[in-house]
Amino acid sequence: MDKDIEKILLSEEQIQARVKELGRMLTQDYADKCPVVIGVLKGVAVFYADMIRQIKVPCEMDFMAISSYSGTSSTGKAAVKKDIDVDIRGRHVLILEDIYDTGNSLSFTLEHLLAKEPASLKVCTLLDKPARRKPGITFQPEYVGFTIPDAFVVGYGLDYNERYRNLPYVGILKPEAYEK
Ligand code: IMP
Ligand code: MG
């Protein structure tokens, strides 16, 4: 275990097992739909790479990036840093996300993509932290990997100041690591 990690919340094995389960559901639900699977960078990169290989239907990959978050607190403001390339009008779209926290990022992403008039738009998030949801945000993702308690987590794509994304598990940082 990395020296800055206090506790492993989700092991590599737990994550991989859940990714396979989600893959089975998505493979069923998207049969014959040729979905456009959109990853929201960068936090989703590791989950995306594992997840896409478990969605065993013809599909297209695309990515977008939004700016909204730095350090451990959400600013509540979002902007598109990188838009998708594929024309999603009339297409079935699946958003992959790393974590649904306050909901600011996902609300913004949903609004941005809905304006492009897809045939359907669903969300698969690896992690859901419902305790942190901003009042008024009631959206419920169709697919959730794990519902987790209110703690700041890193690993498996998730960062603290751009570090720890390469850990193969999801862990809770030691408080000392924030002071670095
Ligand atoms: P939201 O807009 O507050 O829902 O936050 C969504 C984004 O904030 C995620 O896509 C992450 O990039 C980041 N984030 C939220 N919670 C955590 C966490 O516990 N660890 C690392 N990043 C987080
Ligand atoms: Mg994210």
Side-chain angles (χ1 to χ4, degrees), residues 10 49 81 128:
L10 302 166
K81 270 205 288 196
D128 183 9

Side-chain angles (χ1 to χ4, degrees), residues 40-44 66 97-99 105 158:
V40 185
L41 295 170
K42 299 180 228 178
V44 83
I66 61 173
E97 260 285 12
D98 52 356
I99 187 165
S105 309
L158 291 131

Side-chain angles (χ1 to χ4, degrees), residues 2 6 18 21 24 26 28 36 60 80 85 97 101 107 139 144 146 148 151 176-177:
D2 188 278
E6 185 157 273
R18 186 66 181 140
E21 279 175 8
R24 283 192 283 272
L26 292 166
Q28 266 194 2
V36 182
E60 287 178 42
V80 177
D85 301 320
E97 260 285 12
D101 190 44
S107 307
F139 175 79
V144 173
F146 301 92
I148 62 166
E176 307 93 88

